[in-house]
């Protein structure tokens, strides 16, 4: 009986040690954190002014503008300038313009008339 007990205890100790070694070498890796993107109003405007930027870059810039809107807290003039830059960009789509205008109006309902005026002026300047 004593030998069997000693044998069981030995197997348990070896099993626990083996599990410990396996956990040490095969522990789950922490998920990679996405790099934090520093967004500034000036940087977004620089992207929007660059006529060589692709549609995807313009779409990303407008998304970042809306996503970080609270932190950027752009003035009315800055908001309207960004809208103007988006509308006159040669690679922008009408779908992006309309969705950007809609989001801008939702965030600033008091600026609806100015937003529409800038939109109309920018569209007219594209002709």
């Amino acid at each position: 009986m004593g030998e069997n007990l000693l044998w069981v205890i030995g197997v348990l100790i070896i099993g626990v040690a083996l599990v410990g070694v396996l956990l040490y070498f095969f522990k789950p890796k922490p998920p990679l954190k996405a790099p934090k993107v520093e967004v500034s109003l000036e940087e977004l405007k620089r992207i929007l002014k660059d006529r060589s930027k692709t549609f995807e870059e313009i779409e990303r810039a407008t998304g970042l503008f809306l996503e970080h809107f609270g932190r950027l807290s752009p003035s009315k003039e800055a908001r309207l300038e960004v809208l103007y830059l988006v509308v006159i960009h040669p690679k922008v789509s009408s779908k992006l313009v309309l969705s950007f205008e809609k989001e801008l109006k939702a965030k600033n309902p008091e600026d609806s008339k100015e937003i529409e005026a800038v939109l109309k002026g920018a569209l007219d300047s594209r002709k």
Side-chain angles (χ1 to χ4, degrees):
M1 175 94 176
E3 280 183 27
N4 286 340
L5 184 61
L6 192 56
W7 191 80
V8 170
I9 291 173
V11 169
L12 285 175
I13 290 173
I14 291 172
V16 169
L18 184 60
V19 168
V21 168
L22 288 174
L23 286 176
Y24 176 76
F25 286 111
F26 296 106
K27 64 183 169 194
K29 293 181 172 60
L32 294 176
K33 294 180 182 176
K36 190 170 184 173
V37 178
E38 278 300 317
V39 178
S40 72
L41 189 57
E42 292 74 28
E43 177 65 17
L44 292 175
K45 287 197 279 188
R46 186 189 63 74
I47 291 169
L48 295 171
K49 286 177 184 177
D50 187 347
R51 300 176 78 63
S52 68
K53 295 293 184 187
T54 64
F55 169 77
E56 290 77 18
E57 291 169 311
I58 299 303
E59 184 177 43
R60 185 169 188 274
T62 57
L64 287 172
F65 179 80
L66 294 171
E67 180 182 336
H68 296 279
F69 190 82
R71 188 183 60 75
L72 294 172
S73 60
S75 66
K76 180 193 271 189
E77 291 77 24
R79 294 189 299 261
L80 297 176
E81 180 184 7
V82 168
L83 174 63
Y84 183 81
L85 291 172
V86 169
V87 175
I88 65 166
H89 198 279
K91 295 178 184 157
V92 75
S93 70
S94 58
K95 183 178 176 182
L96 178 62
V97 169
L98 291 175
S99 69
F100 186 67
E101 175 207 14
K102 180 181 174 183
E103 290 290 324
L104 211 51
K105 281 182 179 178
K107 291 184 181 298
N108 306 285
E110 69 279 358
D111 295 343
S112 288
K113 289 185 181 190
E114 289 92 344
I115 290 171
E116 288 176 19
V118 167
L119 181 64
K120 182 179 179 346
L123 288 171
D124 288 346
S125 72
R126 286 184 64 131
K127 293 178 184 179

